[in-house]
Amino acid sequence: GYTWAEDGPKAGYFPFYIGCILVVCGAYVALQTIWRWKKLDGITFVTRDRLKPVFLMLLPTIAFVILVGWLGIYVAAFIYVGGFMLWQGKYGWLPALLVSAGLPLVLFLVFEKWFLVPLPKGPIEALLGY
């Protein structure tokens, strides 16, 4: 329900109205952007040099999403964070290993144990009995 009940808002009240506000704000920003683009007639929107860093972030992120479905979020997060620390951050192996191993542990404790919200798991968690 997204309406008001006798005892207060129903479960979907705030998510529904916040979602409506986000849609209106997003539409406003999109219209502003389109109007500005029309004023920039003939000017290049983005150069190849400026687009390259975007794809250097986008492609690994797409790989992360695919890995979450295949290996679960914990192993995918380990690979993703560790890979980015080594590749983009130029960190050493030890800091990358510690942070990339610590993140799945924190995710597990916060979501699985404290909030009781199961996250996507893969074959390794199945072998461990989770």
Side-chain angles (χ1 to χ4, degrees):
Y2 61 90
T3 58
W4 199 267
E6 293 177 11
D7 58 343
K10 291 185 180 179
Y13 183 81
F14 289 108
F16 174 75
Y17 286 107
I18 289 174
C20 289
I21 291 169
L22 286 172
V23 167
V24 169
C25 291
Y28 176 73
V29 170
L31 289 174
Q32 264 189 334
T33 304
I34 290 169
W35 288 325
R36 287 184 184 153
W37 283 349
K38 287 183 179 181
K39 292 178 185 176
L40 298 174
D41 190 35
I43 297 175
T44 302
F45 171 66
V46 65
T47 63
R48 188 172 290 194
D49 291 337
R50 294 215 176 218
L51 198 57
K52 185 179 177 184
V54 173
F55 282 108
L56 288 175
M57 296 294 290
L58 178 65
L59 297 176
T61 304
I62 291 170
F64 170 71
V65 171
I66 292 168
L67 284 176
V68 167
W70 187 44
L71 296 174
I73 197 161
Y74 303 116
V75 176
F78 175 81
I79 294 169
Y80 182 72
V81 171
F84 257 102
M85 286 184 73
L86 291 170
W87 177 48
Q88 292 283 356
K90 307 291 188 237
Y91 287 92
W93 281 95
L94 184 60
L97 183 62
L98 292 174
V99 172
S100 62
L103 177 66
L105 179 64
V106 170
L107 286 174
F108 178 78
L109 291 174
V110 169
F111 288 99
E112 302 272 346
K113 295 297 181 187
W114 296 332
F115 291 148
L116 302 175
V117 176
L119 295 178
K121 294 177 188 64
I124 293 176
E125 293 87 359
L127 289 173
L128 296 173
Y130 287 101

